[in-house]
Amino acid sequence: EYLVQQEAGHLNVAIVRPSIVGASWKEPFPGWIDNFNGPSGIFIAAGKGILRTMRASNDAVADLVPVDVVINTMLAAAWYSGSQAVNRPRNILVYNCTTGGINPFHWGEIVLCLRDAVQLNVLATQKINLPSRSEPFTKELWNATDHKLGVILHSSFVNYRMMKTITRLHKSMMVLEYFTSHSWVWNTNNVAMLMAQMSP
């Protein structure tokens, strides 16, 4: 961002900062994703019964934003920046595309919604039990016993592949762990201003 601000010159530039990007809200259809990175992959793994525990603070805000909201914000920011060629602001506008300040949703609530969704759609062959573990030691103990032990006890090619899947899943969880354990407050005034400029 610093480089963009320094080198923008006379270009009409805007910066859009999304929080954790998840599956789509409406476009191209609800729930659309093109990969299993980030929270969507973890939700699917929990729904399939592969993921049974994760480290999260139940009170931390899950600042998830749908991918189509991010794309629409980028398009609107580009339109607004281009339309302000004459009255260009002195500083580059930064749009924090987040939901935590507008519609806060906590990780504890996500676990409850995930349980309900799995029960309703019968994704897993067993009842989902996804307690969020906030202490690192407890989480690692659960990972070792609940996730890996079952795979290790059955030695076959299928379970070797499952072990690779679980290892990849744990790497994804390690990346998200910091974000599932902390909350931030983002200024969304520029996004609100941008929405006010749009026709209904």
Side-chain angles (χ1 to χ4, degrees):
E1 290 182 10
Y2 177 76
L3 182 64
V4 169
Q5 290 180 350
Q6 294 301 310
E7 301 297 327
H10 297 293
L11 295 174
N12 292 332
V13 176
I15 296 172
V16 176
R17 278 191 206 138
S19 55
I20 304 172
V21 180
S24 67
W25 175 32
K26 291 182 179 178
E27 299 167 347
F29 53 85
W32 176 85
I33 54 171
D34 67 348
N35 62 59
F36 296 116
N37 298 331
S40 298
I42 288 176
F43 296 158
I44 291 169
K48 291 288 191 181
I50 298 169
L51 175 65
R52 297 185 188 142
T53 184
M54 64 181 282
R55 183 175 178 215
S57 170
N58 288 335
D59 298 326
V61 173
D63 210 332
L64 302 172
V65 62
V67 64
D68 51 335
V69 171
V70 176
I71 298 301
N72 288 336
T73 303
M74 291 170 68
L75 293 171
W79 162 79
Y80 184 74
S81 296
S83 68
Q84 299 300 311
V86 177
N87 301 323
R88 219 175 88 184
R90 288 184 61 196
N91 296 325
I92 294 175
L93 290 177
V94 176
Y95 301 93
N96 292 316
C97 187
T98 62
T99 57
I102 301 166
N103 186 19
F105 199 58
H106 301 89
W107 286 105
E109 294 173 287
I110 285 186
V111 170
L112 295 176
C113 288
L114 190 57
R115 282 183 187 155
D116 292 345
V118 169
Q119 302 285 331
L120 188 65
N121 296 303
V122 195
L123 292 175
T125 55
Q126 59 190 17
K127 187 175 180 181
I128 187 169
N129 181 23
L130 189 66
S132 59
R133 307 288 174 192
S134 56
E135 299 84 19
F137 175 75
T138 309
K139 188 207 76 144
E140 289 304 320
L141 180 65
W142 273 86
N143 283 346
T145 57
D146 205 23
H147 291 166
K148 296 179 182 175
L149 189 60
V151 176
I152 292 170
L153 291 176
H154 303 288
S155 56
S156 70
F157 177 71
V158 173
N159 288 322
Y160 170 74
R161 288 180 58 199
M162 181 59 80
M163 192 64 182
K164 285 179 68 175
T165 301
I166 288 175
T167 302
R168 283 181 51 216
L169 178 64
H170 282 245
K171 286 180 182 177
S172 295
M173 286 172 43
M174 286 174 58
V175 170
L176 277 176
E177 211 170 79
Y178 187 77
F179 301 100
T180 60
S181 303
H182 296 83
S183 295
W184 291 268
V185 177
W186 299 100
N187 182 335
T188 56
N189 290 343
N190 287 343
V191 173
M193 177 274 299
L194 187 61
M195 289 178 68
Q197 297 292 323
M198 308 289 291
S199 58

